[in-house]
Amino acid sequence: MNSLADLFTDDRRSSDDAARVTDAAVDDRRLASLVGPPRVQRSSPSPADETARLTALVDEAARSASPVQIAGAGGAPKMPRRGHKRTDWLNVSFAVLAVAVVAVVGVFGGIQLANASPAASALRALSVDEASLANGEQAIQSGITRIDTLATEARAEADSVEPALTAIEGYVDEPARTAAAQAIANLRAGLDAVEPPAMPEPYARPAGLNTDDLAEVGAQIDVVRERSDAITGLTEEVRTVRGQVVALREAFVGSMAALGATFPTAAEAEIEEYGQADQSFIDAVAAAAAAVPAAQAAGGLGVAEMSAYPALVDALRLDHERAIAEILAEREAERENANNNSGGGFTNPGTGGGGNTGGDTGGGEVVPPPTEPVVPDPTPVEPVEPPVVEPEPPVEGGAGEEGAP
């Protein structure tokens, strides 16, 4: 990097004039190296030089210019010739194949058109109508078969439920059980009244039909279409009858569901009334009652669960009676133990003594001997209210009273 002192050596502090002249040349060279040589004043060209130069430019442009088609000029412009292009034989083969296919299709269509007749067209229409008619007849046959299947299944369900309704009489809500039994009767009566439409004879094309006769083929088309209209009406009838069967079964299933919903409530009442039974019997009754609506919610009727419920309730009642009998026996044993601990037997408080049981106690009063307690028979199914043991009133008398049971 040059400093200003190196570029410009004309320093006022220098007093050497000779050195200044030498340094001026050095400064010019250095300045030229930084900014370039000084411009050279060129003399303006003469008009003759300009004319020659312009003429050379025009000639050059004429030699390199492309041909231009001028409007109204005769003849087409000559285009430059291009190099030879290689033939694509694959594209040529595809083109030839496409032309051949089109030609074959055209010939075939022309032959079919030439051979076509009104009778042949009518025969094709007849075949289409016959296929549609066959589908309709098959649909009606399937619908009638489905109606018979639904009716048979509904009758079987009613037959399976009826014994269960008889078995649970007295164990569940009676109005609900009666409504379910009436639903069975209504189902059977409704199914007896259902009459599916009669299936017509299947269609078959007449064997003697002249397929080349346009009039005969046209008349057969009319026959097929009339049967198709009748089949459409039968389809609506089949749909209506099937809806009736489904409605009857739904009413029956609804009554069974209403009956099943009463089982948990009936079980709670049984458990509350026979609560002295063992806890296992209580749990079994509660679980059996809950199983009925659960089975119905899963899509069944709960027939097996209904049939199992009465036996579990009977076991609950029997175990309750057993528990009551044990309680009474324990109370009687406690009473006998209390009598034995007090001296044995009944003592007349008026005598002041003890040990005399039964008969005359010496004071003119007869005291009856104790009797055996009456233990209820645990075998009856009907509920038995436990006897209420009333405490014996104290006998009025003097001192020496012993504890009375």
Side-chain angles (χ1 to χ4, degrees):
M1 186 69 181
N2 296 326
S3 62
L4 293 177
D6 295 332
L7 294 177
F8 305 99
T9 57
D10 187 9
D11 192 355
R12 295 180 179 178
R13 293 176 299 177
S14 177
S15 58
D16 190 356
D17 294 336
R20 289 180 182 177
V21 176
T22 305
D23 292 338
V26 175
D27 292 339
D28 291 338
R29 287 194 304 272
R30 292 178 179 176
L31 182 60
S33 64
L34 289 175
V35 298
R39 293 181 179 180
V40 178
Q41 295 294 331
R42 295 181 180 178
S43 60
S44 57
S46 63
D49 296 337
E50 290 292 337
T51 302
R53 183 169 176 271
L54 182 58
T55 302
L57 291 175
V58 171
D59 293 339
E60 181 66 23
R63 285 193 300 270
S64 62
S66 299
V68 177
Q69 178 68 28
I70 301 175
K78 294 183 179 180
M79 301 299 295
R81 298 183 62 184
R82 298 181 179 179
H84 177 69
K85 185 176 181 181
R86 189 176 183 181
T87 302
D88 190 351
W89 293 107
L90 180 62
N91 291 337
V92 172
S93 301
F94 278 117
V96 172
L97 180 62
V99 171
V101 170
V102 171
V104 171
V105 171
V107 172
F108 180 78
I111 295 174
Q112 293 294 327
L113 183 61
N115 295 332
S117 65
S121 300
L123 184 61
R124 286 194 295 270
L126 175 61
S127 301
V128 173
D129 292 343
E130 287 175 342
S132 177
L133 176 61
N135 292 335
E137 290 177 345
Q138 184 178 2
I140 289 181
Q141 184 61 49
S142 299
I144 294 176
T145 303
R146 182 57 179 166
I147 290 174
D148 295 338
T149 302
L150 291 176
T152 302
E153 292 177 352
R155 291 181 187 276
E157 290 175 343
D159 294 341
S160 65
V161 168
E162 194 170 23
L165 295 182
T166 303
I168 61 176
E169 184 177 1
Y171 294 89
V172 294
D173 182 66
E174 187 59 23
R177 192 193 71 85
T178 304
Q182 184 61 40
I184 293 178
N186 295 339
L187 175 64
R188 289 172 175 168
L191 293 177
D192 292 339
V194 168
E195 293 183 1
M199 181 65 189
E201 290 295 328
Y203 167 81
R205 180 186 295 181
L209 179 66
N210 186 4
T211 56
D212 296 331
D213 189 348
L214 179 60
E216 290 188 17
V217 174
Q220 191 63 28
I221 290 176
D222 294 337
V223 171
V224 171
R225 292 181 178 178
E226 289 177 0
R227 288 179 63 92
S228 297
D229 294 339
I231 289 296
T232 302
L234 289 177
T235 302
E236 295 297 330
E237 293 182 15
V238 169
R239 186 178 293 110
T240 302
V241 174
R242 179 178 177 180
Q244 294 174 356
V245 175
V246 172
L248 288 172
R249 184 183 179 278
E250 288 179 351
F252 161 69
V253 172
S255 298
M256 295 302 300
L259 174 62
T262 64
F263 272 76
T265 303
E268 291 178 0
E270 295 285 348
I271 292 172
E272 183 177 358
E273 184 176 357
Y274 300 99
Q276 295 299 328
D278 188 74
Q279 186 64 36
S280 60
F281 293 92
I282 295 175
D283 295 340
V285 170
V292 176
Q296 292 175 346
L301 295 175
V303 176
E305 290 76 10
M306 290 183 185
S307 301
Y309 180 74
L312 296 175
V313 174
D314 291 341
L316 174 72
R317 294 173 178 177
L318 289 176
D319 196 68
H320 172 82
E321 299 300 334
R322 177 198 59 76
I324 292 297
E326 290 181 357
I327 292 173
L328 294 178
E330 290 176 359
R331 290 181 181 178
E332 188 62 27
E334 291 176 357
R335 182 185 302 174
E336 291 180 358
N337 291 335
N339 291 338
N340 294 333
N341 293 334
S342 62
F346 290 86
T347 303
N348 186 2
T351 60
N356 295 326
T357 60
D360 191 356
T361 58
E365 181 180 357
V366 179
V367 179
T371 59
E372 292 294 330
V374 179
V375 180
D377 187 4
T379 57
V381 176
E382 296 297 328
V384 179
E385 296 292 336
V388 180
V389 180
E390 298 289 342
E392 296 182 3
V395 180
E396 295 181 359
E401 178 178 358
E402 298 293 338

